[in-house]
Amino acid sequence: MGGTGSGKPMNLTLHVWRQAGPGAAGAMRTYAATDVSPDMSFLEMLDVVNEGLVARGEPPIAFDHDCREGICGSCGMMINGQAHGPWKATTTCQLHMRAFSDGDEIVVEPWRAAPFPVIKDLVVDRAAFDRIIQAGGYVSVNTGNAVDGNAVPVPKTDADAAMDAAACIGCGACVAACPNGSASLFTAAKITHLGHLPQGQPERHRRALRMVTQMDLEHFGGCSLFGECQQACPKEISIDAISRMNRDFVVASVMQAEERQVAGAG
Amino acid sequence: MNMFAAFWRSTIGKKVVMAVTGVLMIAFVIGHVSGNLLVFRGAETFNRYAALLKGVGGLLWAARLGLLAALVLHVTAAYQLTRAAAAARPAGYARREPQVSTWASRTMRWGGMLLFVFIGLHLAQFTFGWFDHATFSETDAYSNVMVGFRNPWWVLFYEVSMVALGFHLFHGAWASVRSLGVARPSGHPLHRRIATLIAVGVWLAFSIIPLGVYAGIAKPAAGPDTTAALPAAAPPATP
Amino acid sequence: MAIDLNAKVPSGPLAQKWDTHRFEMKLVNPANKRKYKVLVVGSGLAGASAAASLAELGYQVNCYCFQDSPRRAHSIAAQGGINAAKNYQNDGDSIWRLFYDTIKGGDFRAREANVYRLAQISVNIIDQCVAQGVPFAREYGGTLSNRSFGGAQVSRTFYARGQTGQQLLLGAYQALEKEIAKGTVRMFPRTEMLDLVVVDGRARGIVVRDLVTGAIDTHLADAVLLATGGYGNVFYLSTNAKGSNATAIWRAHKRGAAFANPCYTQIHPTCIPQSGEYQSKLTLMSESLRNDGRVWVPKAKGDTRAPDQIPDAERDYYLERKYPSYGNLSPRDIASRAAKEVCDEGRGVGPGGLGVYLDFRDAIQRVGKDKVEERYGNLFEMYQRITDEDPYRVPMRIYPAVHYTMGGLWVDYNLMSTIPGLFVLGEANFSDHGANRLGASALMQGLADGYFVIPYTLGDYLARSAGMAPVKADVPEVKATEAEVRAHNDRLLGIKGKRTVSSIHRELGKVMWDKCGMAREKSGLESALGSIPALREEFWRNVTVPGSGVELNQSLEHAGRTADFLELGELMCRDALHREESCGGHFRVEHQEAGEAKRDDARFCYVGAWEYTGAGKAPALVKEPLAFENVHLATRSYK
């Protein structure tokens, strides 16, 4: 996992983006983090800094966080120019301070993307992700409307591939890391998850069309296949998903054109 | 019609257009460089090849228009996507460390702009004959090449542009396959190796031509055309 | 005025109660459903599934969560799985067996009828989730896989790698988003419920704070559903998310909802031990690890040798020794207490001796490292990230931690609290797990309540309340409640003392863990009942909350929640003190027999529900007797 591993407390210098509220002007501010244990998580280090700030009557650094075990997707910040910091496949809450060395300077910034406006300090608004899901990231099945769980066999490879994509936690690191600010990996992960399962087939093409359209309406950038998203993704979702999304989108566009023709002829 | 507009409006639609036009242009570039290498077989072969191309008449124009359309679509889509990407991140990071993106991928836009300028100058030089006005010959492509690449500045410009082309092709070739969604999931994808092969091959083949001419490996042909080297004696290129 | 705890359990044979009840319940005509407005607080498994299912039926639904998206509710962190009596493995499972295991696992402190219904519905849940596209683990033949879990001798747990809670929640979240897109649900993320509006004795709305702007507002409706999770964070350190809180249920309690069995807390045996004072939460390692991991400590006290230097003969595989038939898969309360016992004897491992080994050496030898990695790879990685130790080479160190609260607001068979119109779902209610919850049953209960119980019982309530007048925003009860919320927040902001909220919360947690944790004793509980009010006083005199109420203010949010924990903690200790028996997660040192918990069915076979009687006054205990007509009240044995 890298880092010092020595167990000795460290002294660090933090440069943190502070912004009082939505639309307010922000700036980087510098704080000393002293006596940091290498066994602390990154957020626990920020907790300690915040305790000091509150004790001095200064406003603590606001950041989103909740489960602190790497699954809720709440936390996320750019740490030294990397989404979620230097450890691969690790959310900010699971990043531990042994990744750093005594005397390090650490730059901490919020996710930067127009569709993720800053609310305060390191807190951003990721509602755009919910709206992308609303556009079609589901199977339209009402409660009570299900057949037996084993009625439709799902090949293990398909179930596994679906699970790989479904592991997305919606943290936004893919957008933050992408030079284009693209949400392609997030959108593609859901399209891929449901597209691999028989239950997802009836709406497969409609889903691709609608989710991609919503993604664009939110003003995320396009995909240039830099691969940064895949590298930043704490759940290691592959950009193979993006290929799949593109394919589904193209097929869906063609099919929709055909459907219109049929409808027009009839 | 509405569908095409919707397709074009989407970021994926534009990427697909870029991929398709990109693949077309890659095919053209491979054909183009293969033909150009005939320059090392001497004036006669090269000029016969040039004449052959011109001889197909309507087909040549169809190809030219097709390529022009591809270029226009490719550049328009690239421009619009670049604008969208810039708008998606209005405020940048104080510190940012790219992890895996290749230099090729991060320079697609700059390289693309250079190539756009290059294409213009290249056409102006060898198709329209605007620069070596005095010596330019519609019928003697070989001599035009010999004149052009005797000038070290042109050679330098071509060499730099071909490096850019190589990088542009490398990322473009493999990303096209991805954008079109035809790539199969793999840790060591074949399309990446093919892209490397295309990029290196095209770059090498293109870049040895100006160097070869400048270094004198491909020599001006004997005969009346050698006068081309003497600007004063040259007839007007076009009536 | 003592409240009436009428559980409204339908008559008839156990297996027919739910069917009979569903037939007898009144229905709301489809055209009328859209006239009713329902507020769902919380967007976890119970809340999201309820909101989506009610919206599908046609009700107007508002859903609230304090997170930035409903997808982040803490159900997402459940790792291991979800139980269902499918008997796909042909290993002897049945609805009756799941019912029996759950009742027994809960140490005979749950209502038979509720638990039976839960077992019945469990099979529908799996079907529903599969239909939603939840990527459950599958066999090569395409059928669903099962694993075994603590407290059961059949394999009935369905799972999606180590992320079952995440996948089930995303299924419910997607169903919710589908309804939001249709406009049938209005979602209020980053919105926290701060009080319940009761008009004419019925729950008619909530007061909420927009956590971004700080705006305080009242939302009125025909019914209110609380699906706000458990209160484990009263201990400060727990496996709960940092934001998990008791504010919604606590403030509803103060408005008249009885709080049942507050002392029943589940201490999970397999968590990563604390590493320092700065520790902000504890991380669970899925119980599924106990399928292949063996739990042991050195036989000798103070043995500081590295684990691989201790030969087998000098290891005590204490769960296998004490409980040979269940072994490492003993229920959570038993496994936790056994760990505490060996640590108390001085045989614990790791810093401070607060840990036991969970060793995969034998599993790796038996099935190979690859297979172990396939089963638990992500958990092993998480362990290594946190501890910097490689569990493939060095045994994991684990220690119990607060994980789940079986107690919660009292509800009847219809999930309605003692306030008409206030329904409570999932972990927030007390209903199905008795004094101890079995692994993989929380997800089952949350989804059962949301998908398959509330859509029926809410309709019955609304149909029977057809004459209910619409509530106006200017009635005195509404205005008073909102004013009280504003005053409460202003008070918190105005103290401007010296101590941070976290420091007081941490101190409360320590008192709760020491006195009301894995082992409880009369003297300890009495001392806690002295120190908690003192700490509460210290909080209201000396806490500091920076910033204002009209912005995103995480300190203010934490302060409000901590203020409620400071009251709830006291009630938990009071309940623990009154329950002079040991049952499930509630272990009274005075009541044991040969080291095992000793229940007292003659005196305590009831649900202890507490009624709020006013600030500074002792709460009143009301009892709902538990009748066991279908199972024999036995001493739990896992030997």
Side-chain angles (χ1 to χ4, degrees):
Chain A
M1 287 285 163
T4 60
S6 67
K8 281 198 205 118
M10 305 177 283
N11 292 323
L12 306 162
T13 307
L14 305 182
H15 304 282
V16 185
W17 178 261
R18 299 304 303 268
Q19 180 173 335
M28 299 298 290
R29 293 272 309 274
T30 301
Y31 303 94
T34 52
D35 230 11
V36 173
S37 158
D39 290 328
M40 281 179 180
S41 71
F42 196 84
L43 298 186
E44 284 168 345
M45 182 275 294
L46 286 181
D47 287 342
V48 172
V49 170
N50 273 346
E51 283 287 284
L53 289 174
V54 172
R56 290 205 302 273
E58 289 179 48
I61 301 160
F63 57 91
D64 266 327
H65 65 104
D66 202 23
C67 78
R68 296 207 177 188
E69 48 190 90
I71 192 74
C72 75
S74 295
C75 67
M77 43 193 89
M78 285 301 259
I79 299 168
N80 279 346
Q82 282 181 260
H84 289 305
W87 282 357
K88 190 159 163 46
T90 304
T91 55
T92 302
C93 63
Q94 294 287 288
L95 173 66
H96 278 66
M97 296 310 291
R98 67 182 81 93
F100 301 92
S101 306
D102 190 34
D104 277 1
E105 306 231 341
I106 306 176
V107 179
V108 189
E109 298 174 80
W111 291 162
R112 295 281 188 201
F116 286 173
V118 173
I119 292 174
K120 185 175 187 175
D121 298 340
L122 304 172
V123 177
V124 300
D125 180 358
R126 288 168 290 195
F129 271 9
D130 289 327
R131 291 190 291 270
I132 291 175
I133 298 295
Q134 278 160 34
Y138 45 75
V139 174
S140 294
V141 55
N142 283 4
T143 305
N145 220 332
V147 295
D148 185 84
N150 266 346
V152 184
V154 181
K156 185 175 189 307
T157 45
D158 287 344
D160 287 347
M163 182 62 226
D164 287 340
C168 170
I169 58 174
C171 63
C174 48
V175 174
C178 176
N180 291 353
S182 170
S184 289
L185 192 62
F186 170 80
T187 311
K190 189 48 64 190
I191 288 173
T192 301
H193 156 208
L194 296 173
H196 269 297
L197 295 172
Q199 291 80 9
Q201 296 312 309
E203 292 167 287
R204 180 170 172 182
H205 295 110
R206 179 177 185 268
R207 177 181 307 122
L209 274 181
R210 292 175 49 111
M211 289 182 74
V212 169
T213 304
Q214 188 62 36
M215 173 180 90
D216 290 342
L217 283 175
E218 300 288 349
H219 297 293
F220 288 103
C223 173
S224 292
L225 291 157
F226 293 110
E228 293 290 346
C229 55
Q230 161 179 285
Q231 184 70 13
C233 177
K235 299 296 156 186
E236 299 187 289
I237 293 168
S238 158
I239 53 170
D240 289 340
I242 297 178
S243 287
R244 199 183 163 91
M245 167 171 76
N246 287 10
R247 188 165 65 233
D248 279 4
F249 180 79
V250 171
V251 172
S253 299
V254 173
M255 282 182 37
Q256 198 181 6
E258 281 175 0
E259 279 166 22
R260 292 237 172 136
Q261 273 184 347
V262 172
Chain B
M1 198 56 221
N2 197 0
M3 274 316 300
F4 290 108
F7 187 72
W8 170 258
R9 264 202 307 277
S10 74
T11 49
I12 293 180
K14 283 194 226 295
K15 289 309 287 196
V16 167
V17 167
M18 286 187 71
V20 170
T21 53
V23 168
L24 276 176
M25 289 190 284
I26 290 172
F28 161 73
V29 158
I30 292 172
H32 187 44
V33 78
S34 312
N36 282 10
L37 284 176
L38 292 173
V39 80
F40 292 108
R41 300 286 295 272
E44 198 190 337
T45 317
F46 190 71
N47 282 338
R48 219 169 39 224
Y49 162 68
L52 181 79
L53 288 184
K54 290 201 171 172
V56 298
L59 269 180
L60 177 69
W61 277 104
R64 279 174 169 170
L65 287 176
L67 282 170
L68 184 68
L71 181 71
V72 168
L73 285 170
H74 196 84
V75 170
T76 310
Y79 171 76
Q80 293 180 352
L81 285 168
T82 304
R83 291 267 308 244
R89 178 155 302 129
Y93 291 107
R95 184 169 169 194
R96 176 177 180 77
E97 302 290 336
Q99 296 300 305
V100 289
S101 50
T102 54
W103 193 78
S105 68
R106 293 198 302 272
T107 53
M108 284 305 270
R109 285 160 193 155
W110 296 108
M113 279 194 271
L114 174 60
L115 289 175
F116 189 67
V117 170
F118 169 80
I119 291 167
L121 290 178
H122 177 59
L123 288 176
Q125 184 182 25
F126 288 132
T127 306
F128 308 133
W130 289 352
F131 297 116
D132 299 303
H133 206 53
T135 59
F136 189 77
S137 158
E138 280 272 301
T139 52
D140 190 354
Y142 188 81
S143 118
N144 294 340
V145 173
M146 293 305 130
V147 174
F149 292 150
R150 215 72 57 69
N151 181 337
W153 293 110
W154 276 122
V155 173
L156 183 67
F157 175 63
Y158 270 72
E159 290 305 323
V160 170
S161 299
M162 289 311 105
V163 170
L165 179 64
F167 279 109
H168 201 81
L169 283 196
F170 167 68
H171 185 74
W174 82 264
S176 301
V177 190
R178 285 277 186 177
S179 290
L180 290 173
V182 292
R184 295 189 65 79
S186 156
H188 302 280
L190 180 63
H191 52 87
R192 195 116 184 178
R193 274 173 277 160
I194 293 176
T196 312
L197 200 70
I198 292 175
V200 172
V202 167
W203 165 67
L204 272 179
F206 265 135
S207 55
I208 58 169
I209 294 169
L211 283 177
V213 173
Y214 190 71
I217 297 169
K219 291 188 180 66
D225 281 343
T226 45
T227 53
L230 309 165
T238 42
Chain C
M1 181 197 74
I3 44 179
D4 172 33
L5 298 184
N6 178 356
K8 301 204 180 89
V9 173
S11 55
L14 187 62
Q16 266 106 63
K17 282 182 195 291
W18 179 233
D19 284 348
T20 314
H21 191 54
R22 280 199 297 173
F23 177 70
E24 285 169 354
M25 277 189 284
K26 286 188 134 190
L27 299 174
V28 180
N29 156 342
N32 284 339
K33 284 196 182 103
R34 72 179 82 100
K35 294 180 189 157
Y36 289 111
K37 184 161 204 172
V38 182
L39 311 182
V40 180
V41 187
S43 67
L45 285 182
S49 60
S53 302
L54 293 173
E56 287 163 6
L57 288 173
Y59 296 107
Q60 299 174 45
V61 178
N62 281 6
C63 185
Y64 305 82
C65 69
F66 69 79
Q67 297 90 343
D68 69 324
S69 161
R71 69 179 292 147
R72 308 204 196 283
H74 196 53
S75 306
I76 206 158
Q79 298 167 352
I82 176 165
N83 287 332
K86 282 285 197 184
N87 193 29
Y88 283 156
Q89 305 306 321
N90 196 30
D91 59 356
D93 201 8
S94 63
I95 289 170
W96 191 273
R97 187 175 294 281
L98 174 55
F99 154 71
Y100 184 76
D101 285 350
T102 308
I103 280 275
K104 176 187 170 194
D107 218 356
F108 304 95
R109 289 291 176 265
R111 213 184 269 150
E112 271 187 349
N114 282 57
V115 178
Y116 193 86
R117 175 178 65 189
L118 177 66
Q120 277 178 303
I121 290 174
S122 68
V123 298
N124 305 103
I125 296 171
I126 299 303
D127 300 341
Q128 183 63 31
C129 295
V130 167
Q132 288 171 342
V134 170
F136 283 117
R138 299 266 173 175
E139 303 296 341
Y140 279 102
T143 53
L144 292 155
S145 291
N146 289 115
R147 54 165 63 141
S148 47
F149 239 67
Q153 288 177 317
V154 293
S155 284
R156 64 159 75 98
T157 304
F158 295 78
Y159 62 100
R161 295 210 185 127
Q163 290 126 281
T164 317
Q166 179 200 26
Q167 292 310 313
L168 295 176
L169 180 65
L170 292 181
Y173 156 77
Q174 287 163 202
L176 176 63
E177 294 294 332
K178 159 177 75 78
E179 295 303 313
I180 294 171
K182 280 197 239 160
T184 50
V185 175
R186 266 189 82 193
M187 187 69 216
F188 294 83
R190 291 196 197 271
T191 303
E192 181 164 32
M193 167 178 163
L194 292 180
D195 215 335
L196 179 75
V197 176
V198 180
V199 181
D200 296 335
R202 290 174 188 262
R204 297 305 300 270
I206 59 175
V207 179
V208 295
R209 179 168 180 267
D210 178 327
L211 298 182
V212 176
T213 63
I216 289 171
D217 221 341
T218 302
H219 294 195
L220 298 170
D222 298 290
V224 176
L225 273 55
L226 301 187
T228 53
Y231 49 89
N233 270 348
V234 77
F235 290 87
Y236 187 75
L237 287 180
S238 80
T239 65
N240 285 8
K242 288 300 283 177
S244 299
N245 67 83
T247 289
I249 55 170
W250 187 251
R251 300 203 184 168
H253 170 62
K254 291 172 85 171
R255 295 278 168 203
F259 205 120
N261 301 333
C263 77
Y264 289 166
T265 36
Q266 177 163 83
I267 316 283
H268 197 292
T270 50
C271 299
I272 301 175
Q274 188 178 349
S275 71
E277 268 303 300
Y278 48 79
Q279 191 94 21
S280 62
K281 77 153 276 161
L282 294 169
T283 302
L284 177 82
M285 291 278 103
S286 168
E287 179 165 305
S288 61
L289 291 169
R290 291 199 276 144
N291 271 310
D292 285 309
R294 298 179 68 195
V295 178
W296 64 276
V297 289
K299 279 187 177 164
K301 285 181 191 175
D303 189 339
T304 52
R305 285 177 291 174
D308 58 347
Q309 300 300 313
I310 302 178
D312 267 22
E314 293 171 44
R315 297 177 175 193
D316 180 10
Y317 291 94
Y318 59 89
L319 285 176
E320 298 171 19
R321 172 171 60 79
K322 292 166 84 171
Y323 309 102
S325 64
Y326 282 76
N328 294 300
L329 285 174
S330 302
R332 293 175 175 178
D333 54 337
I334 287 177
S336 291
R337 245 182 341 263
K340 178 179 159 53
E341 219 169 82
V342 294
C343 292
D344 288 351
E345 288 168 16
R347 298 195 283 143
V349 298
L354 292 177
V356 299
Y357 290 126
L358 178 62
D359 198 339
F360 290 86
R361 184 196 64 184
D362 297 346
I364 290 170
Q365 276 168 12
R366 193 177 69 246
V367 298
K369 189 185 169 203
D370 290 352
K371 198 80 191 166
V372 170
E373 188 173 353
E374 188 191 310
R375 287 181 194 161
Y376 311 111
N378 57 338
L379 296 169
F380 278 37
E381 277 171 35
M382 182 155 91
Y383 181 85
Q384 185 165 10
R385 269 196 291 273
I386 294 173
T387 62
D388 208 21
E389 288 174 2
D390 178 4
Y392 293 104
R393 295 191 295 107
V394 186
M396 283 186 180
R397 285 176 299 109
I398 53 166
Y399 196 67
V402 173
H403 180 54
Y404 187 89
T405 49
M406 282 73 68
L409 293 186
W410 183 91
V411 289
D412 63 15
Y413 187 73
N414 297 317
L415 304 183
M416 191 160 84
S417 70
T418 54
I419 302 175
L422 178 70
F423 293 80
V424 190
L425 286 70
E427 190 180 349
N429 73 27
F430 89 107
S431 70
D432 296 353
H433 306 296
N436 174 54
R437 180 178 65 74
L438 289 184
S441 286
L443 304 183
M444 173 171 69
Q445 185 222 337
L447 290 179
D449 288 359
Y451 283 135
F452 296 111
V453 179
I454 199 71
Y456 297 91
T457 59
L458 179 76
D460 183 59
Y461 168 77
L462 292 172
R464 286 175 199 280
S465 316
M468 198 163 62
V471 162
K472 293 212 176 72
D474 57 0
V475 299
E477 291 95 327
V478 176
K479 287 163 95 175
T481 310
E482 197 180 303
E484 280 172 42
V485 168
R486 289 177 195 281
H488 187 80
N489 271 6
D490 290 346
R491 209 179 140 204
L492 287 168
L493 288 162
I495 302 166
K496 303 212 178 298
K498 296 246 177 308
R499 289 192 62 178
T500 63
V501 179
S502 297
S503 78
I504 294 180
H505 189 178
R506 196 179 275 124
E507 194 176 327
L508 169 69
K510 191 157 167 29
V511 172
M512 293 301 295
W513 179 248
D514 289 344
K515 313 292 185 195
C516 197
M518 267 190 288
R520 296 140 182 206
E521 209 168 351
K522 183 162 189 275
S523 58
L525 291 165
E526 280 170 350
S527 89
L529 284 173
S531 55
I532 293 171
L535 186 61
R536 191 163 63 228
E537 207 173 292
E538 160 85 356
F539 174 88
W540 284 107
R541 203 185 53 241
N542 198 24
V543 79
T544 180
V545 183
S548 77
V550 291
E551 58 176 337
L552 177 72
N553 187 339
Q554 294 172 323
S555 303
L556 178 61
E557 295 164 27
H558 190 195
R561 296 166 190 169
T562 302
D564 294 332
F565 285 139
L566 283 162
E567 297 178 5
L568 172 56
E570 185 181 347
L571 185 71
M572 290 168 70
C573 292
R574 197 178 288 277
D575 187 45
L577 181 64
H578 116 275
R579 191 167 279 278
E580 292 195 30
E581 64 163 350
S582 294
C583 59
H586 170 65
F587 186 76
R588 282 286 297 266
V589 176
E590 305 93 325
H591 301 280
Q592 51 181 316
E593 201 165 36
E596 299 295 327
K598 193 173 162 220
R599 262 191 357 245
D600 185 346
D601 293 329
R603 291 170 62 210
F604 291 99
C605 193
Y606 61 76
V607 174
W610 297 87
E611 184 187 4
Y612 185 76
T613 54
K617 289 190 198 149
L621 176 67
V622 191
K623 299 173 187 174
E624 180 203 337
L626 289 170
F628 290 91
E629 294 162 356
N630 298 280
V631 299
H632 172 63
L633 265 174
T635 302
R636 253 183 349 158
S637 168
Y638 291 95
K639 290 192 174 173

